[in-house]
Amino acid sequence: MIQVHSLDKVPLFMTLERDNIPIPTVYTLWRIPDLLPRVKMPYIVLDKLLGGANLMLPGIYRSSLPNHWDLGDIVAICGPDNGAAIGVGVWAVSRQQAFDNGLKGKGIHIFSFIKTSCGLSVLKRKLPNIPFPTGDRVVSDEDAVEEECSGIAEGSGIAEDGGIAEGSGGAELTSTINNTVEDLADKVEEIIISKDDIVLEGCYRALKTSLNKSDLPILISNFYSQHVKPCCAEPVEIKQTSFKKVGVLMKELEKQGTIVVKEQKKGVFNITEVNFAHEKLRGVKRLERETEEDEEEEENIAVVKAFICNAHVTPLFSLYGHKKGDIMLRKTIRDHITDYVRSRDLPDPVDKKLIRLDPLLSSVVKTRDLTATWNQVMAEGGGERVGRVT
């Protein structure tokens, strides 16, 4: 599994889940060309690489071979006339193995490569023009490789071990690269942490201000879509967080002790309990949102959602002084139904999530069943929705 870390929708680093080693993308290498050793290849090889082939040793210019590399080292791949990376890969052989094989066979396993639909001309136009290090020379045999690379190390800051030498500004270049990479990594980490915080705060706010006991049990997917997302301070997709999936997020909440999740059947998970007294939920307040419509209203006018007491539910709410045509808030409806059920001892003694239906509630819920869930009664007992009432 590959994870891609982006900043402002630009992919910067990739990590393999099995070893967690960050690998820069070509976009990062365009910003920091000397972050990785670079090798050159002829453009004629491009079509085969775009088709999924690996880069063979004969397809690499000898003049661009680093003076040292090991099996598995990361390397940037460039064209012959431009130092801008067009691909990133890892060495399939060590330097010693490459020369022992006469520079034949596999050279680089391609990890990522620029793909285009319009061919080489479009690719070359889109690439930034980045020069190669000064002192880049043609090499004809192994001895010349070692000799010439030694000269390059002294002149351009490339050390014999494949890193950055201390001479000719090498230390300054090393510091710049390290600081830039650290800054990018910090920004990526900050974004991920920030998204995690937003979605966790949304969960706490949903548990405190949106979810009711009567809503339980609830599918974790419904809880996230119907309660958590509306309670987030800003829009966040679960894939933008380190959790990646709703199930993983719910496991984190369960680990904290805020909820209890049970598997109803294979692959179907419900939140069955909420610890409303948990410290994470203390002090959590309802999210205040400003909309363009709200800003147009005068400050002393409240905009709320309300329901009309229609003929269907009037027999029930007339017990509390309402008549047909009255406008009621959702909270008022919930309070009246809850009072009616509890004052008549209608909660099911075996399953508290169910209500035993008397004739009046049966007519409200429109069912011949003997019991119904709290959600069913609340939903059918709401009357006719009005919308916004001021």
Side-chain angles (χ1 to χ4, degrees):
M1 179 178 177
I2 299 175
Q3 289 186 343
V4 179
H5 305 282
S6 303
L7 181 63
D8 295 332
K9 297 184 179 181
V10 177
L12 299 178
F13 291 93
M14 300 167 286
T15 56
L16 291 173
E17 191 174 37
R18 64 173 182 266
D19 50 22
N20 203 31
I21 297 175
I23 299 176
T25 65
V26 293
Y27 304 102
T28 299
L29 294 174
W30 291 350
R31 296 280 189 91
I32 319 169
D34 297 313
L35 183 60
L36 293 177
R38 286 178 281 181
V39 297
K40 303 176 187 177
M41 67 162 206
Y43 284 121
I44 195 172
V45 182
L46 185 61
D47 287 341
K48 292 186 178 181
L49 296 184
L50 292 176
N54 289 311
L55 183 57
M56 309 299 282
L57 286 169
I60 303 173
Y61 285 105
R62 286 194 177 191
S63 61
S64 67
L65 290 173
N67 65 319
H68 176 82
W69 76 83
D70 289 319
L71 173 66
D73 282 356
I74 308 172
V75 61
I77 304 166
C78 307
D81 56 356
N82 192 342
I86 55 178
V88 182
V90 295
W91 283 103
V93 292
S94 66
R95 180 181 180 277
Q96 185 63 46
Q97 291 171 330
F99 279 97
D100 287 346
N101 296 334
L103 294 179
K104 296 180 180 179
K106 287 185 179 180
I108 297 173
H109 289 302
I110 303 301
F111 189 81
S112 66
F113 211 84
I114 293 179
K115 291 188 176 182
T116 65
S117 58
C118 301
L120 179 59
S121 60
V122 174
L123 176 61
K124 292 178 69 175
R125 271 205 307 270
K126 288 187 176 181
L127 284 175
N129 188 15
I130 299 176
F132 286 100
T134 56
D136 203 356
R137 304 173 186 175
V138 176
V139 182
S140 58
D141 54 39
E142 182 174 357
D143 293 333
V145 170
E146 295 176 347
E147 181 177 342
E148 294 296 341
C149 286
S150 175
I152 292 173
E154 295 175 0
S156 66
I158 302 177
E160 292 185 1
D161 62 356
I164 305 297
E166 295 184 1
S168 303
E172 182 180 352
L173 181 59
T174 301
S175 176
T176 301
I177 292 174
N178 289 339
N179 290 338
T180 305
V181 173
E182 288 175 5
D183 289 343
L184 290 173
D186 288 343
K187 287 181 179 179
V188 171
E189 185 177 0
E190 286 174 7
I191 290 172
I192 295 175
I193 292 175
S194 175
K195 300 290 186 183
D196 285 0
D197 289 341
I198 291 172
V199 77
L200 282 173
E201 287 297 326
C203 289
Y204 302 147
R205 190 174 290 111
L207 292 172
K208 182 74 173 181
T209 66
S210 177
L211 191 70
N212 295 291
K213 288 183 179 180
S214 58
D215 296 326
L216 301 176
I218 184 172
L219 288 170
I220 60 173
S221 57
N222 289 346
F223 170 65
Y224 182 77
S225 61
Q226 298 173 12
H227 298 275
V228 176
K229 293 182 77 172
C231 287
C232 288
E234 61 183 68
V236 177
E237 295 298 327
I238 192 68
K239 291 182 179 180
Q240 296 175 320
T241 70
S242 64
F243 304 111
K244 302 302 180 185
K245 295 182 179 180
V246 174
V248 178
L249 173 62
M250 295 302 110
K251 285 182 180 179
E252 175 62 23
L253 294 176
E254 188 173 34
K255 183 180 177 181
Q256 294 175 0
T258 53
I259 63 174
V260 174
V261 177
K262 292 185 179 179
E263 190 172 15
Q264 180 181 1
K265 57 183 179 180
K266 189 174 182 179
V268 179
F269 295 89
N270 283 340
I271 297 175
T272 59
E273 296 180 34
V274 176
N275 182 4
F276 292 101
H278 195 279
E279 59 180 8
K280 293 283 188 181
L281 306 186
R282 295 174 188 169
V284 176
K285 296 181 180 180
R286 190 177 299 276
L287 184 65
E288 297 294 335
R289 296 187 185 273
E290 289 187 2
T291 64
E292 294 180 2
E293 189 174 339
D294 292 336
E295 291 174 358
E296 294 175 359
E297 300 285 345
E298 296 183 9
E299 293 184 359
N300 61 340
I301 297 180
V303 181
V304 297
K305 293 178 182 178
F307 298 80
I308 289 179
C309 183
N310 58 21
H312 174 59
V313 297
T314 297
L316 173 62
F317 293 116
S318 63
L319 300 175
Y320 297 90
H322 298 284
K323 59 182 181 299
K324 182 180 177 181
D326 282 357
I327 294 176
M328 297 182 296
L329 301 181
R330 183 182 294 276
K331 185 178 184 304
T332 303
I333 294 171
R334 284 185 175 276
D335 289 344
H336 291 338
I337 292 178
T338 301
D339 179 74
Y340 181 88
V341 170
R342 298 197 185 284
S343 65
R344 287 159 177 77
D345 196 25
L346 294 179
D348 192 297
V350 178
D351 189 347
K352 297 296 183 182
K353 297 166 188 173
L354 297 177
I355 298 173
R356 293 176 295 179
L357 301 179
D358 62 7
L360 181 54
L361 286 182
S362 293
S363 65
V364 169
V365 181
K366 300 177 183 178
T367 181
R368 295 182 180 180
D369 294 338
L370 298 179
T371 60
T373 65
W374 280 90
N375 282 344
Q376 287 177 293
V377 177
M378 292 294 180
E380 294 297 333
E384 183 179 350
R385 180 170 175 174
V386 175
R388 292 183 179 269
V389 178
T390 58

